[in-house]
Amino acid sequence: MNAFLRVLNIGILLASWLLGAPTAEAAQSIRVLLSDDVLKLDAQVNGAIWITDPTKHGRAVRSAVHIVPVGKGFSVNGVRTTFDQLTMRGGEGGMTLTWVKQIGKPQQAAKVHQQRLSIPVSGIVHLVRRPNGFVVINQVDLEEYVKGVVPAEVNSSWHPEMLKAQAVAARTYALYQQMLSAAREYDVVASVQDQVYKGRQGIDAAVLRAVEDTKGQVLTYDGAPIYAAFSSTTAGLTEDAVNVWSKDYPYLKGVECPFDLASPYYQWTASFKRELLEHNLRQQGFAVGTISALNPTTLSRGGRVATLRVIHTEGELLLRGEELRKAVGYMVVPSTQFTVDAVGSDVIISGYGAGHAVGMCQWGAKELAELGYPFSTILHYYYPETELQDMALTRAPVPPSS
């Protein structure tokens, strides 16, 4: 028997054992969608990678794996498999994943381009074939996931009590989603759509201490984990959730936040092409001609644009403030707390804050921590009427109706 076959057999035995034996990690793990529309993926480890298919047959590959979609299955280092799902595990040292994904819709070939991303991860990686490539899902221990979220969401040099508050908020949000997503392929997305997660990237001693000191702690309301929303900079009153998502969470009500004046996003001015707004609104299904005016019509209790009237050559359109952000880009228009300064070939607006402003304000929490408040006080301030609780004692949440 040659060396490759010996490694292969060892890999099969180990993979079968790993898949067959229930572990504590499996009970507390979370499934994170790292990317969709992936065109190719490379995985590297110190040692071997165990690759298994849905029938639990596996093989071990030394050091590096190159995977591309072929037909309805995959090619793994040039060896084709017809299975539409694969699982990879890199052992205690984890894996470094590098992938190329497609950006844009295939039917709009002129706008399609590719993006290359790379992160180190622990846990298991699932690959699921899709028409435009495949999706990459990282199943990882919940506490390891929180370690990957904290430095991706805030600077790890910030005050230790703020890092603890961020760790608890991230853990709570993940648990809430996990409890409600059993029928889905994944629990959370590794981006601002849920929480930014970069695997083992950026984890340092301060992050490890914050996660360890709060291990297993989550915020609850009526015994269930809460929808622990947070955003960068409130610049005033935090927002009622119902004004942003049309869902009324009793613990996501506006509170004063005069603590984030040091944020670089506190005040801003933005401009974008009118044609871009018109084009993107049409792409979203709005019938709109040439725009001549944008007039905010209603404001939320926190002073953010709830709706605005769009005057155009075909008539008028009533748009939600968040729909304007979505059409132009969340990074271009940082928040809905804005006024419209000019509408010509360029639209110029000025405003305050960054993010949806619901729940914890990260820059406000930083200031409160520096003023001496512990993480528990900070969390109870931004999430009123909640309790800190051991996650093992929580029950499943009931999402509010729209």
Side-chain angles (χ1 to χ4, degrees):
M1 183 182 293
N2 63 31
F4 174 76
L5 290 176
R6 283 198 298 273
V7 172
L8 175 61
N9 287 338
I10 292 171
I12 292 171
L13 290 172
L14 284 172
S16 298
W17 177 79
L18 289 167
L19 288 169
T23 64
E25 177 186 82
Q28 299 178 9
S29 65
I30 185 164
R31 302 164 300 167
V32 188
L33 177 64
L34 297 181
S35 184
D36 56 7
D37 294 340
V38 174
L39 302 177
K40 58 183 176 182
L41 177 141
D42 291 286
Q44 292 189 316
V45 299
N46 291 322
I49 299 175
W50 285 275
I51 303 175
T52 55
D53 60 38
T55 67
K56 298 188 178 179
H57 286 93
R59 65 180 176 128
V61 179
R62 285 286 180 188
S63 303
V65 176
H66 179 70
I67 298 177
V68 295
V70 175
K72 294 183 178 180
F74 297 92
S75 169
V76 181
N77 286 354
V79 179
R80 186 167 177 175
T81 173
T82 57
F83 290 106
D84 63 358
Q85 296 183 33
L86 293 175
T87 297
M88 302 192 301
R89 186 173 190 129
E92 292 297 323
M95 295 174 274
T96 296
L97 304 178
T98 303
W99 67 87
V100 174
K101 70 170 292 182
Q102 178 175 285
I103 305 294
K105 299 178 180 178
Q107 56 269 35
Q108 296 176 309
K111 295 183 177 180
V112 172
H113 64 280
Q114 295 184 353
Q115 181 182 40
R116 183 182 179 87
L117 299 164
S118 183
I119 65 169
V121 298
S122 55
I124 300 170
V125 174
H126 300 288
L127 310 179
V128 183
R129 195 72 172 81
R130 288 286 183 271
N132 297 326
F134 56 96
V135 300
V136 182
I137 299 167
N138 183 198
Q139 184 174 348
V140 61
D141 177 89
L142 181 57
E143 295 299 322
E144 293 301 312
Y145 167 75
V146 175
K147 292 173 188 174
V149 171
V150 172
E153 283 287 349
V154 296
N155 193 316
S156 65
S157 67
W158 283 10
H159 195 283
E161 292 301 310
M162 194 287 154
L163 298 184
K164 292 179 188 176
Q166 183 64 69
V168 173
R171 184 182 299 110
T172 305
Y173 182 93
L175 184 63
Y176 179 95
Q177 296 293 0
Q178 182 197 52
M179 286 181 163
L180 296 177
S181 61
R184 291 168 44 188
E185 287 182 334
Y186 55 87
D187 303 307
V188 292
V189 179
S191 72
V192 293
Q193 183 174 332
D194 284 307
Q195 305 180 123
V196 181
Y197 164 73
K198 294 185 177 180
R200 293 181 165 182
Q201 207 170 77
I203 299 175
D204 59 17
V207 172
L208 292 174
R209 188 163 52 250
V211 176
E212 185 61 30
D213 287 351
T214 62
K215 185 176 181 179
Q217 294 185 58
V218 294
L219 284 165
T220 64
Y221 181 85
D222 197 20
I226 69 166
Y227 185 78
F230 55 84
S231 62
S232 169
T233 306
T234 298
L237 192 70
T238 66
E239 194 58 85
D240 293 353
V242 69
N243 293 331
V244 178
W245 301 306
S246 300
K247 293 181 179 179
D248 193 9
Y249 299 87
Y251 45 82
L252 290 179
K253 303 294 185 183
V255 298
E256 293 289 345
C257 182
F259 313 114
D260 53 1
L261 293 172
S263 168
Y265 314 108
Y266 187 83
Q267 188 172 6
W268 47 265
T269 299
S271 66
F272 51 86
K273 294 294 182 184
R274 182 188 63 199
E275 287 185 355
L276 172 71
L277 174 61
E278 294 165 352
H279 172 78
N280 290 348
L281 286 175
R282 292 173 193 136
Q283 290 292 311
Q284 293 175 21
F286 294 103
V288 61
T290 301
I291 295 173
S292 58
L294 297 168
N295 299 316
T297 51
T298 60
L299 301 179
S300 70
R301 190 166 65 93
R304 295 173 181 81
V305 176
T307 58
L308 67 164
R309 179 174 288 109
V310 181
I311 312 297
H312 57 94
T313 53
E314 307 297 325
E316 294 186 4
L317 171 69
L318 196 62
L319 205 64
R320 287 167 54 89
E322 286 292 340
E323 289 172 332
L324 177 75
R325 291 187 68 206
K326 181 180 179 181
V328 179
Y330 292 106
M331 299 300 290
V332 177
V333 180
S335 80
T336 56
Q337 191 177 180
F338 63 79
T339 56
V340 180
D341 299 328
V343 178
S345 60
D346 291 306
V347 178
I348 301 173
I349 62 177
S350 56
Y352 296 87
H356 50 62
V358 179
M360 184 175 72
C361 168
Q362 291 167 311
W363 277 87
K366 174 179 181 290
E367 175 70 12
L368 286 171
E370 291 169 353
L371 290 171
Y373 292 96
F375 77 95
S376 55
T377 301
I378 295 170
L379 291 169
H380 288 137
Y381 181 75
Y382 285 112
Y383 305 105
E385 301 183 34
T386 61
E387 296 180 359
L388 272 173
Q389 188 174 336
D390 185 331
M391 60 182 282
L393 304 176
T394 59
R395 62 175 183 81
V398 177
S401 56
S402 299

